[in-house]
Amino acid sequence: MRRRAPTCSGSWTPERDRYTGRLSATPCLPVTDPVPDPDPRPLPPEEPGPNECCGSGCPLCVLDLYSDELQRYRKALAEWKARHPQEAS
């Protein structure tokens, strides 16, 4: 039977090996999630595919919706670049 490595409990104290009862040689370090960026760069909207517009003059055409989303994206990007001049490329 294969021995499994002791699992980390996220504490700073050594953990007891559940198979041998001995304390682990090195303490486990707490696992932390990366801190999300509080002000991420806006992402552009997804362009509709070539067959998504039916060409029948719908009141809410996907091309019109994309155009509106693109305008909002460009405005949000300009505002983001003003807040992050070092990354405005």
Side-chain angles (χ1 to χ4, degrees), residues 4-52:
R4 292 185 355 192
T7 58
C8 184
S9 64
S11 66
W12 287 90
T13 58
E15 186 178 67
R16 232 174 242 292
D17 184 304
R18 67 185 219 188
Y19 298 104
T20 65
R22 291 181 285 175
L23 290 176
S24 61
T26 56
C28 295
L29 298 176
V31 177
T32 57
D33 292 332
V35 177
D37 185 357
D39 190 17
R41 183 183 182 116
L43 297 174
E46 188 175 331
E47 189 173 356
N51 297 329
E52 289 190 53

Side-chain angles (χ1 to χ4, degrees), residues 18-87:
R18 67 185 219 188
Y19 298 104
T20 65
R22 291 181 285 175
L23 290 176
S24 61
T26 56
C28 295
L29 298 176
V31 177
T32 57
D33 292 332
V35 177
D37 185 357
D39 190 17
R41 183 183 182 116
L43 297 174
E46 188 175 331
E47 189 173 356
N51 297 329
E52 289 190 53
C53 175
C54 65
S56 65
C58 301
L60 288 176
C61 178
V62 293
L63 299 178
D64 295 334
L65 295 174
Y66 173 70
S67 176
D68 293 344
E69 289 178 18
L70 196 57
Q71 287 177 356
R72 282 193 296 275
Y73 162 72
R74 288 179 178 153
K75 182 179 181 217
L77 183 61
E79 292 169 356
W80 182 87
K81 284 182 177 182
R83 292 190 305 270
H84 300 273
Q86 72 282 5
E87 297 183 40

